[in-house]
Amino acid sequence: QRLLKTTGGVMSLQLILLLALTSRAAGLSIPLEGEMPQPPTIISHTSSPVIAFPYDSSVSIRCEATGNPPPEYRWTKDGQDFTPPQPTTTKTGSFVVYNKQFAQFQGKYRCFASNTMGTAMTEEIELIVSSVPKFPKEAITSIVVNEGDPIILKCNPPEGLPPRQIHWMSVDLQHIEQDERVTMGIDGNLYFANALQNDSRQDYCCVAAFARIRTIAQKTPMIVEVKRSNLRYYKHVLSHLSVVPALNMSTVFHFSPTPQIEWMKMGGSLAERAQFDKFGKMLIISNIEESDEGKYMCKAKNPAGEAAHYFDVIVEEPPKWLTEPPRSQLTVIGTEVHIKCSVSGKPPPVITWRKNGEIFRVSPSNYVLDDTVELHNASPEDSAVYQCEASNQHGSILANVNIMVMNMAPLILTKNHQYDVVEGGDIILNCSVFGSPSPETLQTTEGERYVLHQNKSLQIFRAEKDDSGQYVCVASNSEGRSGLTAVLDVKDRTKIFNPPQDVQVVSGTAAQLMCKAECDKSLQDTFEVMWMKDGDEIPLSSKETSKYSVGEDMLQIMNVGLSDQGMYTCIVRTSLDEDKATALLTVLDVPDAPTNLELLVLKSPKNVRLSWIPGSDHNSSITEFIVEYEESQWEPGRWKHLQKVPGNQATAELVLHGHLNYQFRVYAVNTVGPGPPSEPTETYKTPPAAPDRNPENIKIQGHLPHQMDISWEPLLPIEHNGPGLEYKVKYRRLGVGDEWKEHLVKRHSFVVRNTSTFVPYEITIQSRNSHGWGPEPKVVTGYSGEDVPTAAPQDVAVEVINTTVLRVSWTPVPPATVRGHLGGYDVHWVRKRSLLNLNRSLDERQSLSFPGKRSHAFVPGLEPFSEYRLTVNVFNKKGKGPNSDPVTFNTPEGVPKQVPILTASNSQKDSVFLVWGPPPETNGILTGYLLQYHLINETTLEVVDSQEMNITGADTTQWQLQSLEEHSLYRFDLSACTRVGCGPSRAQESYIATQTGDGFMSHLIKSSSRVPPSSDGNWRISEAVNTSQSFHIIDGLKPGTVYTVRLMAKRLLDNGSIFEGVFQTRMKGVASTQRNLSSQGWFIGTMCAVALLTLVVLIACFVRRNKGGKYAVKEKEDLHPDVESPGMNDDTFCEYSDSEEKPLKGSSACSLTGNDAIGDGVSRDSLVDYADGGGEFSEDGSFIGEYSRPKHRGSVSEPSGPGPVTA
């Protein structure tokens, strides 16, 4: 920083800027072990100046030094010895001055610290006591001037502690407005280049503010009176200059009119740092440099002429060190010592040398040469603290220089002998040595990774495991030799092996950052993990940061928000090293609401462009914008979707409706979801207009034959475009040249009456309101009401395609008879009877509809070998027309269905006994069966030999097959046949082997129960029955339940069924009641009456059956097939007719004849829906109830089985 000396005009002004500098003394590092002496060194002191403010309770003046022995302190004030009033501590030279003593202790202080090795001192510390500045009291008279004259209002502010700010204000603290004509100068005066009438006022106040002492002083208000006069031209020049803290040059020109100001530097250009203030009247140059010296000119111009003023600027500066303060020295006895004090300044500083605080005395061996003190053949007596102080009129600087002259053997100062470093790190093995002359260190290590520094320390770069061990430092000089042994341990590095990865999370969810690390086992106690976000540590221990949790090797951030986005750094550290890894956490959120919505009218008021500024997408690109609107007339407060805009656009062209008050808003959508909507626009009102469109979805119907109903989809309320909406309906018959008839209606339907049946019309519907008609409507064609057809199809003929499919053809009815839109044709057919039983009438009715205009159809699903009757009718939307004349036809004979069961039993040495049931539907006259049997290779399961035979008896249901190979596997395929052919076969495999007589076993399956209906369908196997027994008792059965029982022959390789029957257990209490009451006469009479009633019911059932009726059991049987019996899902032994059903006989025992064994016509499925009675076993173990029936057509002829079996 430099000082300036300037001269301007006829007067010479020298401005001085005082700069307070803190002296530096380069300390000499001398060990303090034992009795080693050390000169004092000032380490801390108060910088000058010290300002005592009125509001301060005290001020402290500090001085602290080091040395051995500890230094003692003394002070001087204004060059005289001074005893501090209140020392702060006994170990320092600091003292405190209290408020009441401020004025007494104002002055310049210097601190001296002394011990046996010398005295150090500080530069002067000036204590300044600030007083409260005040304007002097003065009587101020009014200033009266003519209009156009210059005015100077003098401020003469009081002196005070800088900075000082001056303001001109009114008594109500309003600033006096300044401009090119009215300006405050650097001196604080207010200058008027020329007076105007409105300058007259009585409260011009000069206010001086001193911020550091918190004081404001106000001058007595001044009165200015401006008298009206003729304006005239004149000029006058005043100049001012200031250099605190920058160069400020100000010139005030008294001109009328107000002049234009121009600045320039003579012989050069203004510095780039130059600035103008006070409306061009002040030139300010900051950071003054020596190049800113020179002559400056200020020129003013107005119509009266011009004037100029000149400034001479001289740049000066306080003392400063050219390079650095002189350094302390340690030297050997007998050497030459040079202490150089290199300073600069303007004017050149004066250098004063001191030794231990006293003026340096020249001797033949010690003298001063220019800025250097030279000590020849130095001795221990020359050891001292030397002071160099450089001063000029702008300030001073001081340096303390410690000079030590001595001889001493090397002294090892390093105490730490143990060093730890991680592999790959750098380590410095210290070997601090003190000695005079300076010791030399012996280096025994070699390699580019080893460096010996000047301070005798050894640095090892990129440490390796092999570097572990002992290191010896040896120092020597002419006075002796010393050594040090250090131990180095190279440890494993701390490293992160699973660093955190960049992650994207949705706002409101949790984020997890992994950080797995490892370190040397010996450093485990000092191992710690720290997390930072954007360079700031995350205080995981704070209760306020509950959103952060650190688990095992993981940082978890709960409820992530946008503020959590940033760079997360995981730092793992030990006492020796650390490793870090950084990951970016990106928070995805819904977009911010768009802003700055603006509407621009385009071609018409109903065509506008909406634009907006998208909000932040929060790291997920905006996919689309949704424009919504709200109108206040029909649905106020409800926002509706208007338009979608791609995410890369920020405008939308909107087509609006008339006569509405619109507001619009926009929200953005990204992959996270929709964002909040923007603020709505201002209300935009569209003018009324004619409707933009006509009704759509016009429907023309005829609910009655002689009228036409017209309806349409009305315009939405917002589509009215104005008041008074109504519709014009026009219609006329098509193609006959009628005139248009029209009606105006407000509803959205209209009925045309008294029309012909089903004739075409042309219809138009046009919307209108009080502002005009909608666009020209489109013509729609429709028909009047329909009626049922009047004609039946003619020439109906049938063509039998096969046993189940029929082709029907007819002549279509004339279109005029349809009397409506043709719907299609219905084909009805009735199965009158089966040709197998001509006496039984069936009356099974079915029909199919065939849409559209057609003359033939295919009818599927007919039953073979049956008589049918068929009719055809036409239909429309109104209904069906009359049926055609009936056509009767027969379906041809077909092949039978699959036999329901096939069993192979009584396998002998070369024969097997086959039993089967007749097919449920023969579809013709049954002629017999085709039996095919195949010899199977048991290893490859391939057919080795095949044979077949025809069984001609239609009633045959069993066969003993001879001439088979013993110990062989056979497969038997059996098909039922008619004259047309054979139906599908049923297969059964059996192994031919000699019967061993191992015994029989009985199988039991629950078939049904009465209340409630249920079926578990699981076979249960009893224990083996000895072949000598003729009966077996089965217990554990449920009362009132129907069971199927099989008697099986158990052989080594085959289980063959010998017998199968169906039984029902009694209800509870029945058996005991019979035993107890059977001997009573009244009971016998009652039973006879019940038997007679049962006989009457049975006769009635048989009569109904012959008339084609069905029992409920049969109907339920058709709906409940047995899905549990293997191979019998859809079939039974034979589907019996209703005449074959018999009620159960209540008796104490149920004997089974041979005809009731296997091939009975009673399907097990048909018993599913029998009611659940309360039957049970009687005490003698017999079943209650039995089934018996006569043989019938299509039934199976059962073989003679064993005698009655008691279960």
Side-chain angles (χ1 to χ4, degrees):
Q1 189 167 4
R2 289 176 167 79
L3 299 177
L4 300 170
K5 179 184 287 184
T6 64
T7 59
V10 296
M11 48 184 284
S12 176
L13 175 64
Q14 180 173 323
L15 298 108
I16 302 174
L17 175 63
L18 299 178
L19 175 64
L21 297 177
T22 301
S23 66
R24 293 175 53 198
L28 181 64
S29 179
I30 299 177
L32 300 178
E33 288 87 348
E35 300 299 326
M36 178 64 66
Q38 184 178 20
T41 301
I42 302 292
I43 58 174
S44 176
H45 68 88
T46 302
S47 299
S48 182
V50 178
I51 301 175
F53 296 103
Y55 51 80
D56 290 336
S57 60
S58 64
V59 294
S60 176
I61 300 178
R62 188 178 67 258
C63 180
E64 187 176 357
T66 61
N68 190 22
E72 296 179 354
Y73 300 92
R74 66 183 178 88
W75 288 86
T76 63
K77 177 177 179 288
D78 298 328
Q80 304 296 321
D81 288 338
F82 168 76
T83 302
Q86 189 70 35
T88 56
T89 62
T90 57
K91 295 182 179 181
T92 68
S94 306
F95 65 92
V96 177
V97 178
Y98 292 97
N99 185 285
K100 294 181 180 180
Q101 302 170 318
F102 282 172
Q104 176 184 350
F105 287 95
Q106 181 169 294
K108 297 180 179 180
Y109 295 84
R110 198 185 290 270
C111 174
F112 297 86
S114 305
N115 65 7
T116 57
M117 297 300 293
T119 300
M121 61 183 286
T122 66
E123 70 269 16
E124 286 186 336
I125 305 172
E126 183 178 7
L127 174 60
I128 300 175
V129 179
S130 173
S131 59
V132 179
K134 297 180 180 179
F135 280 97
K137 292 183 179 180
E138 54 185 340
I140 300 178
T141 60
S142 299
I143 301 174
V144 180
V145 297
N146 293 321
E147 188 176 11
D149 291 343
I151 306 175
I152 301 177
L153 300 183
K154 294 186 178 181
C155 180
N156 298 322
E159 295 296 329
L161 190 67
R164 180 184 65 184
Q165 293 183 333
I166 300 175
H167 307 276
W168 281 90
M169 310 180 75
S170 62
V171 292
D172 57 355
L173 300 181
Q174 298 297 318
H175 284 273
I176 302 298
E177 185 175 354
Q178 300 184 32
D179 53 21
E180 294 86 349
R181 185 179 63 87
V182 181
T183 310
M184 185 183 72
I186 297 176
D187 55 2
N189 297 339
L190 188 62
Y191 295 90
F192 294 76
N194 48 80
L196 300 177
Q197 280 289 313
N198 57 9
D199 293 330
S200 298
R201 61 189 305 157
Q202 298 181 355
D203 58 350
Y204 284 96
C205 298
C206 181
V207 178
F210 301 87
R212 295 184 66 181
I213 61 175
R214 307 172 190 173
T215 300
I216 297 177
Q218 180 175 320
K219 189 180 180 72
T220 303
M222 289 178 277
I223 302 173
V224 174
E225 182 181 351
V226 180
K227 295 182 177 180
R228 182 177 296 278
S229 66
N230 295 325
L231 294 177
R232 63 186 184 275
Y233 296 142
Y234 67 89
K235 60 182 178 180
H236 182 67
V237 181
L238 294 176
S239 64
H240 307 275
L241 183 143
S242 172
V243 203
V244 182
L247 173 60
N248 297 338
M249 289 176 280
S250 176
T251 303
V252 178
F253 293 89
H254 290 171
F255 271 69
S256 180
T258 304
Q260 299 295 322
I261 308 299
E262 180 182 357
W263 289 88
M264 66 182 65
K265 181 180 181 182
M266 311 302 293
S269 59
L270 294 177
E272 294 181 356
R273 293 168 280 109
Q275 296 177 338
F276 299 98
D277 197 9
K278 303 296 184 182
F279 306 98
K281 298 178 182 180
M282 178 181 290
L283 172 64
I284 302 174
I285 303 177
S286 58
N287 298 325
I288 296 297
E289 297 178 357
E290 193 171 353
S291 60
D292 293 324
E293 281 191 347
K295 178 173 285 189
Y296 291 79
M297 181 185 72
C298 176
K299 181 188 294 186
K301 295 180 182 180
N302 76 350
E306 64 180 40
H309 187 76
Y310 298 91
F311 297 87
D312 290 321
V313 177
I314 301 173
V315 179
E316 295 184 351
E317 62 181 350
K320 67 176 182 179
W321 305 110
L322 283 177
T323 53
E324 61 178 355
R327 301 181 64 84
S328 298
Q329 301 179 38
L330 173 64
T331 186
V332 182
I333 299 173
T335 58
E336 300 290 325
V337 178
H338 299 272
I339 308 172
K340 187 175 181 62
C341 190
S342 299
V343 296
S344 66
K346 191 175 183 180
V350 176
I351 298 176
T352 302
W353 287 97
R354 291 182 176 88
K355 180 180 180 181
N356 293 328
E358 303 293 335
I359 298 298
F360 180 75
R361 298 181 181 276
V362 178
S363 66
S365 58
N366 301 333
Y367 55 88
V368 177
L369 182 61
D370 294 331
D371 58 355
T372 304
V373 169
E374 295 186 2
L375 306 178
H376 294 283
N377 193 20
S379 64
E381 290 74 14
D382 292 324
S383 296
V385 182
Y386 293 80
Q387 287 86 26
C388 165
E389 187 172 23
S391 306
N392 67 8
Q393 64 197 58
H394 304 302
S396 64
I397 55 177
L398 180 141
N400 288 280
V401 185
N402 295 337
I403 303 298
M404 293 287 292
V405 182
M406 61 186 302
N407 286 4
M408 182 180 178
L411 175 63
I412 303 294
L413 304 179
T414 301
K415 296 181 179 180
N416 182 21
H417 297 176
Q418 179 67 43
Y419 295 90
D420 294 326
V421 67
V422 295
E423 188 175 5
D426 300 339
I427 185 68
I428 295 179
L429 307 183
N430 293 319
C431 186
S432 180
V433 180
F434 179 79
S436 182
S438 180
E440 295 181 355
T441 303
L442 178 63
Q443 179 180 5
T444 59
T445 55
E446 296 181 355
E448 62 178 6
R449 296 191 300 110
Y450 301 92
V451 175
L452 185 64
H453 295 284
Q454 290 184 354
N455 63 356
K456 316 308 179 187
S457 61
L458 175 65
Q459 184 170 9
I460 303 175
F461 296 96
R462 303 181 303 280
E464 301 174 356
K465 284 288 188 178
D466 294 340
D467 293 331
S468 298
Q470 293 184 346
Y471 293 80
V472 179
C473 173
V474 179
S476 61
N477 65 6
S478 58
E479 303 296 321
R481 181 174 180 174
S482 298
L484 167 69
T485 300
V487 179
L488 175 64
D489 184 9
V490 180
K491 300 180 181 294
D492 293 330
R493 294 183 59 186
T494 302
K495 59 182 178 181
I496 299 173
F497 62 86
N498 188 1
Q501 303 294 323
D502 293 347
V503 64
Q504 291 183 340
V505 297
V506 176
S507 177
T509 61
Q512 295 179 345
L513 298 173
M514 300 296 298
C515 185
K516 294 185 178 181
E518 59 185 6
C519 68
D520 193 276
K521 294 182 179 179
S522 63
L523 302 175
Q524 195 67 41
D525 293 340
T526 63
F527 178 80
E528 63 176 351
V529 179
M530 181 178 70
W531 286 90
M532 301 185 74
K533 177 184 180 293
D534 297 331
D536 297 325
E537 182 178 358
I538 299 176
L540 299 175
S541 59
S542 173
K543 295 182 180 179
E544 297 179 357
T545 58
S546 58
K547 72 179 305 178
Y548 298 102
S549 63
V550 177
E552 183 177 354
D553 306 321
M554 180 181 66
L555 172 68
Q556 183 162 328
I557 308 171
M558 306 301 296
N559 193 23
V560 172
L562 293 174
S563 60
D564 296 313
Q565 179 170 294
M567 299 296 297
Y568 285 79
T569 303
C570 171
I571 302 176
V572 292
R573 61 172 53 150
T574 62
S575 57
L576 293 183
D577 70 332
E578 68 177 31
D579 193 12
K580 62 177 63 176
T582 301
L584 174 63
L585 173 63
T586 303
V587 179
L588 308 180
D589 204 350
V590 297
D592 286 342
T595 58
N596 294 19
L597 271 67
E598 294 183 358
L599 279 174
L600 176 64
V601 178
L602 298 178
K603 299 177 182 179
S604 69
K606 295 196 301 177
N607 188 6
V608 298
R609 177 183 290 123
L610 177 65
S611 62
W612 59 87
I613 297 177
S616 173
D617 62 6
H618 295 310
N619 306 304
S620 177
S621 299
I622 296 175
T623 56
E624 62 182 6
F625 292 97
I626 307 299
V627 180
E628 295 183 318
Y629 75 94
E630 183 260 351
E631 50 84 20
S632 60
Q633 181 175 354
W634 299 103
E635 293 183 278
R638 180 182 176 187
W639 288 93
K640 301 177 184 177
H641 176 274
L642 180 59
Q643 189 170 331
K644 285 185 179 181
V645 179
N648 58 359
Q649 296 183 14
T651 61
E653 290 194 10
L654 309 178
V655 178
L656 309 178
H657 298 290
H659 197 52
L660 293 176
N661 295 328
Y662 281 98
Q663 278 189 303
F664 303 96
R665 70 181 186 183
V666 183
Y667 66 88
V669 181
N670 62 9
T671 55
V672 180
S678 66
E679 291 295 324
T681 62
E682 296 291 333
T683 300
Y684 178 75
K685 186 173 183 179
T686 55
D692 294 322
R693 71 176 184 90
N694 293 313
E696 297 177 350
N697 294 334
I698 300 174
K699 295 181 180 179
I700 303 169
Q701 297 174 319
H703 299 292
L704 296 176
H706 301 291
Q707 74 179 33
M708 180 171 59
D709 300 320
I710 306 172
S711 62
W712 57 89
E713 185 179 283
L715 300 186
L716 297 175
I718 62 172
E719 297 175 325
H720 290 187
N721 282 0
L725 181 74
E726 56 186 357
Y727 305 98
K728 181 172 70 173
V729 182
K730 294 174 60 178
Y731 60 92
R732 68 178 180 182
R733 287 189 61 174
L734 178 65
V736 296
D738 286 353
E739 294 293 330
W740 287 96
K741 297 180 181 180
E742 59 182 53
H743 299 271
L744 282 176
V745 296
K746 293 185 177 181
R747 60 185 183 275
H748 53 276
S749 63
F750 182 76
V751 178
V752 180
R753 305 182 186 279
N754 299 322
T755 65
S756 300
T757 303
F758 198 66
V759 294
Y761 278 83
E762 290 180 307
I763 299 103
T764 65
I765 301 177
Q766 187 176 16
S767 55
R768 59 156 285 179
N769 61 19
S770 58
H771 290 269
W773 292 94
E776 189 66 24
K778 296 180 181 179
V779 177
V780 179
T781 301
Y783 286 82
S784 58
E786 299 184 18
D787 205 346
V788 295
T790 59
Q794 300 297 320
D795 304 326
V796 178
V798 297
E799 178 185 356
V800 178
I801 304 300
N802 54 37
T803 58
T804 60
V805 178
L806 179 73
R807 183 183 186 274
V808 186
S809 62
W810 59 87
T811 300
V813 299
T817 64
V818 177
R819 300 204 296 178
H821 295 284
L822 176 65
Y825 290 86
D826 292 328
V827 178
H828 309 273
W829 65 95
V830 182
R831 186 186 180 198
K832 302 299 292 181
R833 61 180 58 81
S834 172
L835 298 181
L836 292 175
N837 188 359
L838 298 176
N839 296 325
R840 180 183 177 186
S841 179
L842 297 177
D843 197 30
E844 297 175 356
R845 299 179 179 273
Q846 297 185 59
S847 64
L848 280 177
S849 293
F850 299 93
K853 183 179 181 181
R854 57 198 307 152
S855 60
H856 70 277
F858 288 92
V859 177
L862 303 179
E863 295 293 336
F865 209 50
S866 300
E867 178 184 331
Y868 283 90
R869 187 180 67 181
L870 179 144
T871 61
V872 182
N873 68 265
V874 67
F875 65 89
N876 61 16
K877 292 182 180 179
K878 196 66 177 178
K880 298 179 180 180
N883 288 332
S884 66
D885 295 332
V887 176
T888 302
F889 64 93
N890 295 334
T891 55
E893 191 174 358
V895 296
K897 292 186 178 180
Q898 186 184 46
V899 296
I901 187 171
L902 173 64
T903 61
S905 60
N906 293 338
S907 176
Q908 302 298 326
K909 180 177 181 181
D910 60 350
S911 66
V912 67
F913 188 68
L914 299 177
V915 180
W916 62 89
E921 295 291 341
T922 59
N923 294 331
I925 300 174
L926 190 66
T927 60
Y929 297 89
L930 174 64
L931 175 63
Q932 297 174 319
Y933 49 100
H934 314 281
L935 179 63
I936 307 298
N937 185 320
E938 296 184 55
T939 303
T940 63
L941 300 181
E942 294 179 351
V943 176
V944 176
D945 184 30
S946 296
Q947 298 185 50
E948 65 178 37
M949 63 180 299
N950 291 313
I951 302 175
T952 57
D955 293 334
T956 305
T957 57
Q958 58 189 17
W959 195 264
Q960 185 78 30
L961 189 60
Q962 305 290 341
S963 303
L964 302 178
E965 293 186 13
E966 187 178 3
H967 303 297
S968 299
L969 178 64
Y970 278 87
R971 187 181 79 238
F972 305 99
D973 294 320
L974 182 69
S975 303
C977 303
T978 64
R979 292 174 294 183
V980 177
C982 297
S985 64
R986 178 173 293 278
Q988 175 70 37
E989 290 186 358
S990 180
Y991 192 82
I992 307 303
T994 304
Q995 182 175 356
T996 59
D998 292 333
F1000 297 96
M1001 66 176 65
S1002 63
H1003 290 243
L1004 176 67
I1005 181 173
K1006 176 181 176 182
S1007 180
S1008 67
S1009 60
R1010 300 188 68 175
V1011 181
S1014 65
S1015 175
D1016 57 18
N1018 295 323
W1019 285 98
R1020 298 174 178 84
I1021 303 175
S1022 70
E1023 67 273 15
V1025 180
N1026 193 286
T1027 55
S1028 62
Q1029 288 183 312
S1030 60
F1031 69 93
H1032 179 70
I1033 298 176
I1034 303 174
D1035 55 9
L1037 305 180
K1038 292 184 179 181
T1041 305
V1042 176
Y1043 290 92
T1044 300
V1045 179
R1046 285 181 182 174
L1047 185 63
M1048 310 290 291
K1050 182 178 180 183
R1051 301 181 178 86
L1052 292 178
L1053 301 175
D1054 182 23
N1055 288 334
S1057 176
I1058 299 176
F1059 166 80
E1060 180 171 330
V1062 180
F1063 306 90
Q1064 181 180 15
T1065 58
R1066 280 183 178 176
M1067 300 293 290
K1068 284 187 176 180
V1070 175
S1072 60
T1073 301
Q1074 288 181 343
R1075 287 195 305 271
N1076 297 333
L1077 301 178
S1078 60
S1079 60
Q1080 302 297 325
W1082 65 269
F1083 177 76
I1084 296 173
T1086 302
M1087 290 296 102
C1088 292
V1090 170
L1092 180 60
L1093 180 61
T1094 301
L1095 180 61
V1096 172
V1097 171
L1098 289 175
I1099 294 173
C1101 290
F1102 281 117
V1103 171
R1104 180 185 176 189
R1105 179 66 183 87
N1106 291 333
K1107 292 182 178 181
K1110 288 188 177 182
Y1111 285 2
V1113 173
K1114 175 63 178 177
E1115 295 172 355
K1116 292 183 180 180
E1117 176 190 21
D1118 295 337
L1119 299 175
H1120 295 78
D1122 184 4
V1123 296
E1124 301 295 341
S1125 300
M1128 297 174 62
N1129 291 343
D1130 299 315
D1131 306 305
T1132 60
F1133 296 133
C1134 177
E1135 185 177 352
Y1136 59 88
S1137 64
D1138 290 16
S1139 61
E1140 297 156 0
E1141 299 177 2
K1142 298 292 182 180
L1144 297 174
K1145 297 179 181 179
S1147 60
S1148 61
C1150 177
S1151 63
L1152 298 176
T1153 64
N1155 295 334
D1156 295 2
I1158 299 174
D1160 64 8
V1162 181
S1163 168
R1164 290 192 300 272
D1165 297 343
S1166 66
L1167 299 173
V1168 173
D1169 296 303
Y1170 267 73
D1172 186 8
E1176 62 177 7
F1177 286 113
S1178 62
E1179 291 183 357
D1180 60 0
S1182 62
F1183 279 108
I1184 306 292
E1186 65 173 334
Y1187 278 110
S1188 65
R1189 61 171 181 79
K1191 291 184 180 180
H1192 57 87
R1193 180 195 51 76
S1195 64
V1196 178
S1197 177
E1198 294 84 352
S1200 299
V1205 176
T1206 302

